[in-house]
PDB file of all heavy atoms in Angstrom:
ATOM      1  N   VAL A   1      -0.822  -5.902 -13.881  1.00 91.00           N
ATOM      2  CA  VAL A   1      -1.784  -6.500 -14.809  1.00 91.00           C
ATOM      3  C   VAL A   1      -1.033  -7.356 -15.799  1.00 91.00           C
ATOM      4  O   VAL A   1       0.051  -6.990 -16.236  1.00 91.00           O
ATOM      5  CB  VAL A   1      -2.582  -5.417 -15.563  1.00 91.00           C
ATOM      6  CG1 VAL A   1      -3.421  -6.028 -16.681  1.00 91.00           C
ATOM      7  CG2 VAL A   1      -3.474  -4.639 -14.626  1.00 91.00           C
ATOM      8  N   ALA A   2      -1.591  -8.517 -16.121  1.00 93.00           N
ATOM      9  CA  ALA A   2      -1.048  -9.351 -17.189  1.00 93.00           C
ATOM     10  C   ALA A   2      -2.233  -9.930 -17.951  1.00 93.00           C
ATOM     11  O   ALA A   2      -3.211 -10.375 -17.356  1.00 93.00           O
ATOM     12  CB  ALA A   2      -0.181 -10.475 -16.612  1.00 93.00           C
ATOM     13  N   ASP A   3      -2.131  -9.908 -19.303  1.00 94.00           N
ATOM     14  CA  ASP A   3      -3.222 -10.442 -20.110  1.00 94.00           C
ATOM     15  C   ASP A   3      -2.744 -10.717 -21.496  1.00 94.00           C
ATOM     16  O   ASP A   3      -1.597 -10.445 -21.846  1.00 94.00           O
ATOM     17  CB  ASP A   3      -4.419  -9.505 -20.108  1.00 94.00           C
ATOM     18  CG  ASP A   3      -4.137  -8.100 -20.654  1.00 94.00           C
ATOM     19  OD1 ASP A   3      -3.479  -7.983 -21.725  1.00 94.00           O
ATOM     20  OD2 ASP A   3      -4.590  -7.120 -20.056  1.00 94.00           O
ATOM     21  N   VAL A   4      -3.618 -11.264 -22.318  1.00 94.00           N
ATOM     22  CA  VAL A   4      -3.360 -11.425 -23.739  1.00 94.00           C
ATOM     23  C   VAL A   4      -4.568 -10.926 -24.503  1.00 94.00           C
ATOM     24  O   VAL A   4      -5.699 -11.227 -24.183  1.00 94.00           O
ATOM     25  CB  VAL A   4      -3.017 -12.899 -24.104  1.00 94.00           C
ATOM     26  CG1 VAL A   4      -4.168 -13.861 -23.804  1.00 94.00           C
ATOM     27  CG2 VAL A   4      -2.553 -13.011 -25.544  1.00 94.00           C
ATOM     28  N   ASP A   5      -4.275 -10.109 -25.502  1.00 92.00           N
ATOM     29  CA  ASP A   5      -5.288  -9.570 -26.394  1.00 92.00           C
ATOM     30  C   ASP A   5      -5.354 -10.531 -27.565  1.00 92.00           C
ATOM     31  O   ASP A   5      -4.473 -10.559 -28.438  1.00 92.00           O
ATOM     32  CB  ASP A   5      -4.873  -8.175 -26.838  1.00 92.00           C
ATOM     33  CG  ASP A   5      -5.815  -7.527 -27.834  1.00 92.00           C
ATOM     34  OD1 ASP A   5      -6.594  -8.264 -28.497  1.00 92.00           O
ATOM     35  OD2 ASP A   5      -5.759  -6.288 -27.968  1.00 92.00           O
ATOM     36  N   LEU A   6      -6.354 -11.389 -27.589  1.00 92.00           N
ATOM     37  CA  LEU A   6      -6.461 -12.438 -28.594  1.00 92.00           C
ATOM     38  C   LEU A   6      -6.868 -11.886 -29.946  1.00 92.00           C
ATOM     39  O   LEU A   6      -6.598 -12.506 -30.983  1.00 92.00           O
ATOM     40  CB  LEU A   6      -7.461 -13.500 -28.134  1.00 92.00           C
ATOM     41  CG  LEU A   6      -7.066 -14.238 -26.853  1.00 92.00           C
ATOM     42  CD1 LEU A   6      -8.222 -15.084 -26.352  1.00 92.00           C
ATOM     43  CD2 LEU A   6      -5.821 -15.075 -27.078  1.00 92.00           C
ATOM     44  N   THR A   7      -7.498 -10.725 -29.978  1.00 90.00           N
ATOM     45  CA  THR A   7      -7.911 -10.102 -31.241  1.00 90.00           C
ATOM     46  C   THR A   7      -6.709  -9.515 -31.972  1.00 90.00           C
ATOM     47  O   THR A   7      -6.548  -9.673 -33.174  1.00 90.00           O
ATOM     48  CB  THR A   7      -8.948  -9.010 -30.999  1.00 90.00           C
ATOM     49  OG1 THR A   7     -10.053  -9.591 -30.269  1.00 90.00           O
ATOM     50  CG2 THR A   7      -9.455  -8.411 -32.281  1.00 90.00           C
ATOM     51  N   ASN A   8      -5.835  -8.828 -31.239  1.00 86.00           N
ATOM     52  CA  ASN A   8      -4.679  -8.155 -31.832  1.00 86.00           C
ATOM     53  C   ASN A   8      -3.391  -8.931 -31.694  1.00 86.00           C
ATOM     54  O   ASN A   8      -2.317  -8.439 -32.064  1.00 86.00           O
ATOM     55  CB  ASN A   8      -4.532  -6.755 -31.231  1.00 86.00           C
ATOM     56  CG  ASN A   8      -5.695  -5.865 -31.582  1.00 86.00           C
ATOM     57  OD1 ASN A   8      -5.969  -5.608 -32.743  1.00 86.00           O
ATOM     58  ND2 ASN A   8      -6.446  -5.409 -30.574  1.00 86.00           N
ATOM     59  N   ASN A   9      -3.471 -10.134 -31.095  1.00 87.00           N
ATOM     60  CA  ASN A   9      -2.303 -11.005 -30.940  1.00 87.00           C
ATOM     61  C   ASN A   9      -1.145 -10.347 -30.219  1.00 87.00           C
ATOM     62  O   ASN A   9      -0.011 -10.283 -30.732  1.00 87.00           O
ATOM     63  CB  ASN A   9      -1.849 -11.550 -32.294  1.00 87.00           C
ATOM     64  CG  ASN A   9      -2.863 -12.488 -32.898  1.00 87.00           C
ATOM     65  OD1 ASN A   9      -3.473 -13.293 -32.194  1.00 87.00           O
ATOM     66  ND2 ASN A   9      -3.105 -12.339 -34.198  1.00 87.00           N
ATOM     67  N   ILE A  10      -1.409  -9.871 -29.002  1.00 89.00           N
ATOM     68  CA  ILE A  10      -0.342  -9.291 -28.209  1.00 89.00           C
ATOM     69  C   ILE A  10      -0.516  -9.634 -26.729  1.00 89.00           C
ATOM     70  O   ILE A  10      -1.619  -9.544 -26.182  1.00 89.00           O
ATOM     71  CB  ILE A  10      -0.253  -7.744 -28.412  1.00 89.00           C
ATOM     72  CG1 ILE A  10       0.967  -7.204 -27.707  1.00 89.00           C
ATOM     73  CG2 ILE A  10      -1.516  -7.053 -27.942  1.00 89.00           C
ATOM     74  CD1 ILE A  10       1.383  -5.824 -28.137  1.00 89.00           C
ATOM     75  N   ALA A  11       0.559 -10.078 -26.129  1.00 92.00           N
ATOM     76  CA  ALA A  11       0.560 -10.300 -24.675  1.00 92.00           C
ATOM     77  C   ALA A  11       0.976  -8.989 -24.028  1.00 92.00           C
ATOM     78  O   ALA A  11       1.847  -8.271 -24.525  1.00 92.00           O
ATOM     79  CB  ALA A  11       1.546 -11.424 -24.324  1.00 92.00           C
ATOM     80  N   PHE A  12       0.353  -8.681 -22.898  1.00 92.00           N
ATOM     81  CA  PHE A  12       0.539  -7.397 -22.236  1.00 92.00           C
ATOM     82  C   PHE A  12       0.770  -7.674 -20.743  1.00 92.00           C
ATOM     83  O   PHE A  12       0.036  -8.446 -20.132  1.00 92.00           O
ATOM     84  CB  PHE A  12      -0.720  -6.539 -22.409  1.00 92.00           C
ATOM     85  CG  PHE A  12      -0.699  -5.218 -21.687  1.00 92.00           C
ATOM     86  CD1 PHE A  12      -0.141  -4.108 -22.300  1.00 92.00           C
ATOM     87  CD2 PHE A  12      -1.233  -5.089 -20.429  1.00 92.00           C
ATOM     88  CE1 PHE A  12      -0.129  -2.891 -21.648  1.00 92.00           C
ATOM     89  CE2 PHE A  12      -1.236  -3.885 -19.772  1.00 92.00           C
ATOM     90  CZ  PHE A  12      -0.663  -2.773 -20.396  1.00 92.00           C
ATOM     91  N   ALA A  13       1.821  -7.057 -20.198  1.00 94.00           N
ATOM     92  CA  ALA A  13       2.035  -7.207 -18.756  1.00 94.00           C
ATOM     93  C   ALA A  13       2.781  -5.958 -18.213  1.00 94.00           C
ATOM     94  O   ALA A  13       3.715  -5.484 -18.856  1.00 94.00           O
ATOM     95  CB  ALA A  13       2.847  -8.441 -18.449  1.00 94.00           C
ATOM     96  N   VAL A  14       2.309  -5.507 -17.094  1.00 92.00           N
ATOM     97  CA  VAL A  14       2.978  -4.422 -16.379  1.00 92.00           C
ATOM     98  C   VAL A  14       3.027  -4.879 -14.918  1.00 92.00           C
ATOM     99  O   VAL A  14       2.005  -5.186 -14.315  1.00 92.00           O
ATOM    100  CB  VAL A  14       2.236  -3.085 -16.477  1.00 92.00           C
ATOM    101  CG1 VAL A  14       2.925  -2.017 -15.637  1.00 92.00           C
ATOM    102  CG2 VAL A  14       2.123  -2.639 -17.924  1.00 92.00           C
ATOM    103  N   THR A  15       4.235  -4.964 -14.393  1.00 89.00           N
ATOM    104  CA  THR A  15       4.376  -5.320 -12.969  1.00 89.00           C
ATOM    105  C   THR A  15       4.971  -4.144 -12.246  1.00 89.00           C
ATOM    106  O   THR A  15       5.620  -3.266 -12.830  1.00 89.00           O
ATOM    107  CB  THR A  15       5.277  -6.568 -12.793  1.00 89.00           C
ATOM    108  OG1 THR A  15       6.547  -6.309 -13.387  1.00 89.00           O
ATOM    109  CG2 THR A  15       4.652  -7.771 -13.440  1.00 89.00           C
ATOM    110  N   LYS A  16       4.710  -4.095 -10.971  1.00 85.00           N
ATOM    111  CA  LYS A  16       5.187  -2.992 -10.148  1.00 85.00           C
ATOM    112  C   LYS A  16       6.214  -3.491  -9.124  1.00 85.00           C
ATOM    113  O   LYS A  16       6.147  -4.630  -8.709  1.00 85.00           O
ATOM    114  CB  LYS A  16       4.001  -2.342  -9.435  1.00 85.00           C
ATOM    115  CG  LYS A  16       3.014  -1.731 -10.432  1.00 85.00           C
ATOM    116  CD  LYS A  16       1.716  -1.343  -9.793  1.00 85.00           C
ATOM    117  CE  LYS A  16       1.879  -0.243  -8.797  1.00 85.00           C
ATOM    118  NZ  LYS A  16       0.596   0.203  -8.257  1.00 85.00           N
ATOM    119  N   ASN A  17       7.140  -2.620  -8.775  1.00 80.00           N
ATOM    120  CA  ASN A  17       8.124  -2.969  -7.774  1.00 80.00           C
ATOM    121  C   ASN A  17       7.575  -2.888  -6.364  1.00 80.00           C
ATOM    122  O   ASN A  17       8.089  -3.507  -5.455  1.00 80.00           O
ATOM    123  CB  ASN A  17       9.356  -2.052  -7.880  1.00 80.00           C
ATOM    124  CG  ASN A  17      10.111  -2.303  -9.152  1.00 80.00           C
ATOM    125  OD1 ASN A  17      10.084  -3.389  -9.696  1.00 80.00           O
ATOM    126  ND2 ASN A  17      10.788  -1.289  -9.628  1.00 80.00           N
ATOM    127  N   ARG A  18       6.547  -2.110  -6.188  1.00 78.00           N
ATOM    128  CA  ARG A  18       5.952  -1.925  -4.875  1.00 78.00           C
ATOM    129  C   ARG A  18       4.465  -2.076  -4.930  1.00 78.00           C
ATOM    130  O   ARG A  18       3.789  -1.600  -5.842  1.00 78.00           O
ATOM    131  CB  ARG A  18       6.283  -0.534  -4.285  1.00 78.00           C
ATOM    132  CG  ARG A  18       7.761  -0.367  -3.980  1.00 78.00           C
ATOM    133  CD  ARG A  18       8.140  -1.261  -2.834  1.00 78.00           C
ATOM    134  NE  ARG A  18       9.558  -1.212  -2.546  1.00 78.00           N
ATOM    135  CZ  ARG A  18      10.209  -2.154  -1.898  1.00 78.00           C
ATOM    136  NH1 ARG A  18       9.582  -3.215  -1.501  1.00 78.00           N
ATOM    137  NH2 ARG A  18      11.479  -2.051  -1.672  1.00 78.00           N
ATOM    138  N   PHE A  19       3.921  -2.734  -3.925  1.00 77.00           N
ATOM    139  CA  PHE A  19       2.486  -2.993  -3.790  1.00 77.00           C
ATOM    140  C   PHE A  19       1.755  -1.677  -3.513  1.00 77.00           C
ATOM    141  O   PHE A  19       2.108  -0.942  -2.600  1.00 77.00           O
ATOM    142  CB  PHE A  19       2.296  -3.962  -2.623  1.00 77.00           C
ATOM    143  CG  PHE A  19       0.863  -4.367  -2.376  1.00 77.00           C
ATOM    144  CD1 PHE A  19       0.354  -5.503  -2.946  1.00 77.00           C
ATOM    145  CD2 PHE A  19       0.070  -3.640  -1.509  1.00 77.00           C
ATOM    146  CE1 PHE A  19      -0.949  -5.913  -2.698  1.00 77.00           C
ATOM    147  CE2 PHE A  19      -1.236  -4.030  -1.246  1.00 77.00           C
ATOM    148  CZ  PHE A  19      -1.742  -5.191  -1.848  1.00 77.00           C
ATOM    149  N   THR A  20       0.744  -1.368  -4.299  1.00 77.00           N
ATOM    150  CA  THR A  20      -0.175  -0.291  -4.016  1.00 77.00           C
ATOM    151  C   THR A  20      -1.566  -0.832  -4.305  1.00 77.00           C
ATOM    152  O   THR A  20      -1.932  -1.025  -5.456  1.00 77.00           O
ATOM    153  CB  THR A  20       0.103   0.965  -4.866  1.00 77.00           C
ATOM    154  OG1 THR A  20       0.150   0.592  -6.257  1.00 77.00           O
ATOM    155  CG2 THR A  20       1.423   1.616  -4.484  1.00 77.00           C
ATOM    156  N   ALA A  21      -2.282  -1.144  -3.270  1.00 73.00           N
ATOM    157  CA  ALA A  21      -3.550  -1.898  -3.393  1.00 73.00           C
ATOM    158  C   ALA A  21      -4.543  -1.251  -4.338  1.00 73.00           C
ATOM    159  O   ALA A  21      -4.955  -0.106  -4.175  1.00 73.00           O
ATOM    160  CB  ALA A  21      -4.174  -2.018  -1.994  1.00 73.00           C
ATOM    161  N   GLY A  22      -4.918  -2.042  -5.374  1.00 74.00           N
ATOM    162  CA  GLY A  22      -5.958  -1.647  -6.314  1.00 74.00           C
ATOM    163  C   GLY A  22      -5.630  -0.425  -7.155  1.00 74.00           C
ATOM    164  O   GLY A  22      -6.525   0.153  -7.766  1.00 74.00           O
ATOM    165  N   ASP A  23      -4.394  -0.009  -7.209  1.00 81.00           N
ATOM    166  CA  ASP A  23      -4.019   1.190  -7.959  1.00 81.00           C
ATOM    167  C   ASP A  23      -3.500   0.797  -9.346  1.00 81.00           C
ATOM    168  O   ASP A  23      -2.390   0.285  -9.496  1.00 81.00           O
ATOM    169  CB  ASP A  23      -2.920   1.952  -7.189  1.00 81.00           C
ATOM    170  CG  ASP A  23      -2.391   3.147  -7.958  1.00 81.00           C
ATOM    171  OD1 ASP A  23      -3.032   3.570  -8.946  1.00 81.00           O
ATOM    172  OD2 ASP A  23      -1.354   3.700  -7.551  1.00 81.00           O
ATOM    173  N   TYR A  24      -4.341   1.045 -10.359  1.00 83.00           N
ATOM    174  CA  TYR A  24      -3.968   0.687 -11.734  1.00 83.00           C
ATOM    175  C   TYR A  24      -3.651   1.923 -12.556  1.00 83.00           C
ATOM    176  O   TYR A  24      -3.627   1.869 -13.787  1.00 83.00           O
ATOM    177  CB  TYR A  24      -5.123  -0.103 -12.403  1.00 83.00           C
ATOM    178  CG  TYR A  24      -5.438  -1.356 -11.641  1.00 83.00           C
ATOM    179  CD1 TYR A  24      -6.544  -1.464 -10.841  1.00 83.00           C
ATOM    180  CD2 TYR A  24      -4.579  -2.460 -11.714  1.00 83.00           C
ATOM    181  CE1 TYR A  24      -6.813  -2.611 -10.124  1.00 83.00           C
ATOM    182  CE2 TYR A  24      -4.828  -3.614 -11.013  1.00 83.00           C
ATOM    183  CZ  TYR A  24      -5.971  -3.678 -10.222  1.00 83.00           C
ATOM    184  OH  TYR A  24      -6.231  -4.814  -9.507  1.00 83.00           O
ATOM    185  N   THR A  25      -3.384   3.071 -11.907  1.00 85.00           N
ATOM    186  CA  THR A  25      -3.117   4.304 -12.660  1.00 85.00           C
ATOM    187  C   THR A  25      -1.879   4.188 -13.531  1.00 85.00           C
ATOM    188  O   THR A  25      -1.828   4.834 -14.594  1.00 85.00           O
ATOM    189  CB  THR A  25      -2.983   5.515 -11.701  1.00 85.00           C
ATOM    190  OG1 THR A  25      -1.964   5.221 -10.729  1.00 85.00           O
ATOM    191  CG2 THR A  25      -4.292   5.805 -11.021  1.00 85.00           C
ATOM    192  N   ASN A  26      -0.903   3.398 -13.141  1.00 86.00           N
ATOM    193  CA  ASN A  26       0.282   3.257 -13.982  1.00 86.00           C
ATOM    194  C   ASN A  26       0.001   2.382 -15.207  1.00 86.00           C
ATOM    195  O   ASN A  26       0.736   2.418 -16.183  1.00 86.00           O
ATOM    196  CB  ASN A  26       1.448   2.704 -13.186  1.00 86.00           C
ATOM    197  CG  ASN A  26       1.224   1.293 -12.711  1.00 86.00           C
ATOM    198  OD1 ASN A  26       0.090   0.887 -12.430  1.00 86.00           O
ATOM    199  ND2 ASN A  26       2.268   0.495 -12.621  1.00 86.00           N
ATOM    200  N   ILE A  27      -1.047   1.597 -15.191  1.00 88.00           N
ATOM    201  CA  ILE A  27      -1.394   0.729 -16.320  1.00 88.00           C
ATOM    202  C   ILE A  27      -1.991   1.519 -17.463  1.00 88.00           C
ATOM    203  O   ILE A  27      -1.698   1.264 -18.642  1.00 88.00           O
ATOM    204  CB  ILE A  27      -2.391  -0.372 -15.853  1.00 88.00           C
ATOM    205  CG1 ILE A  27      -1.877  -1.142 -14.644  1.00 88.00           C
ATOM    206  CG2 ILE A  27      -2.749  -1.301 -17.015  1.00 88.00           C
ATOM    207  CD1 ILE A  27      -0.557  -1.839 -14.823  1.00 88.00           C
ATOM    208  N   ALA A  28      -2.836   2.487 -17.186  1.00 87.00           N
ATOM    209  CA  ALA A  28      -3.553   3.232 -18.201  1.00 87.00           C
ATOM    210  C   ALA A  28      -2.650   3.854 -19.269  1.00 87.00           C
ATOM    211  O   ALA A  28      -2.889   3.667 -20.462  1.00 87.00           O
ATOM    212  CB  ALA A  28      -4.485   4.256 -17.575  1.00 87.00           C
ATOM    213  N   PRO A  29      -1.597   4.617 -18.897  1.00 91.00           N
ATOM    214  CA  PRO A  29      -0.800   5.224 -19.954  1.00 91.00           C
ATOM    215  C   PRO A  29      -0.035   4.195 -20.784  1.00 91.00           C
ATOM    216  O   PRO A  29       0.148   4.384 -21.998  1.00 91.00           O
ATOM    217  CB  PRO A  29       0.161   6.180 -19.215  1.00 91.00           C
ATOM    218  CG  PRO A  29       0.093   5.797 -17.779  1.00 91.00           C
ATOM    219  CD  PRO A  29      -1.217   5.068 -17.570  1.00 91.00           C
ATOM    220  N   ILE A  30       0.386   3.109 -20.169  1.00 90.00           N
ATOM    221  CA  ILE A  30       1.101   2.062 -20.924  1.00 90.00           C
ATOM    222  C   ILE A  30       0.135   1.354 -21.866  1.00 90.00           C
ATOM    223  O   ILE A  30       0.453   1.095 -23.032  1.00 90.00           O
ATOM    224  CB  ILE A  30       1.805   1.106 -19.956  1.00 90.00           C
ATOM    225  CG1 ILE A  30       2.835   1.858 -19.134  1.00 90.00           C
ATOM    226  CG2 ILE A  30       2.458  -0.066 -20.720  1.00 90.00           C
ATOM    227  CD1 ILE A  30       3.381   1.103 -17.950  1.00 90.00           C
ATOM    228  N   SER A  31      -1.058   1.057 -21.372  1.00 87.00           N
ATOM    229  CA  SER A  31      -2.069   0.418 -22.222  1.00 87.00           C
ATOM    230  C   SER A  31      -2.436   1.337 -23.378  1.00 87.00           C
ATOM    231  O   SER A  31      -2.619   0.872 -24.504  1.00 87.00           O
ATOM    232  CB  SER A  31      -3.325   0.110 -21.375  1.00 87.00           C
ATOM    233  OG  SER A  31      -4.340  -0.414 -22.190  1.00 87.00           O
ATOM    234  N   ALA A  32      -2.505   2.644 -23.127  1.00 87.00           N
ATOM    235  CA  ALA A  32      -2.840   3.607 -24.186  1.00 87.00           C
ATOM    236  C   ALA A  32      -1.765   3.581 -25.286  1.00 87.00           C
ATOM    237  O   ALA A  32      -2.084   3.638 -26.477  1.00 87.00           O
ATOM    238  CB  ALA A  32      -2.995   5.000 -23.613  1.00 87.00           C
ATOM    239  N   LEU A  33      -0.498   3.501 -24.899  1.00 89.00           N
ATOM    240  CA  LEU A  33       0.580   3.426 -25.886  1.00 89.00           C
ATOM    241  C   LEU A  33       0.477   2.159 -26.722  1.00 89.00           C
ATOM    242  O   LEU A  33       0.649   2.223 -27.953  1.00 89.00           O
ATOM    243  CB  LEU A  33       1.948   3.495 -25.184  1.00 89.00           C
ATOM    244  CG  LEU A  33       2.359   4.836 -24.631  1.00 89.00           C
ATOM    245  CD1 LEU A  33       3.635   4.675 -23.798  1.00 89.00           C
ATOM    246  CD2 LEU A  33       2.557   5.849 -25.720  1.00 89.00           C
ATOM    247  N   VAL A  34       0.201   1.053 -26.074  1.00 85.00           N
ATOM    248  CA  VAL A  34       0.075  -0.210 -26.799  1.00 85.00           C
ATOM    249  C   VAL A  34      -1.121  -0.160 -27.744  1.00 85.00           C
ATOM    250  O   VAL A  34      -1.034  -0.516 -28.900  1.00 85.00           O
ATOM    251  CB  VAL A  34      -0.029  -1.401 -25.822  1.00 85.00           C
ATOM    252  CG1 VAL A  34      -0.367  -2.697 -26.558  1.00 85.00           C
ATOM    253  CG2 VAL A  34       1.270  -1.539 -25.034  1.00 85.00           C
ATOM    254  N   THR A  35      -2.235   0.328 -27.256  1.00 79.00           N
ATOM    255  CA  THR A  35      -3.460   0.429 -28.060  1.00 79.00           C
ATOM    256  C   THR A  35      -3.244   1.339 -29.255  1.00 79.00           C
ATOM    257  O   THR A  35      -3.623   1.004 -30.384  1.00 79.00           O
ATOM    258  CB  THR A  35      -4.639   0.934 -27.211  1.00 79.00           C
ATOM    259  OG1 THR A  35      -4.859   0.040 -26.127  1.00 79.00           O
ATOM    260  CG2 THR A  35      -5.911   1.065 -28.024  1.00 79.00           C
TER     261      THR A  35
END
């Protein structure tokens, strides 16, 4: 996932080394830390 939070002025990106189709489970804990 890659995006920019225009309200809080932060760019956010998490990339994976291996393809796992439609699996965003690794994004949630990182997003929670940022939030």
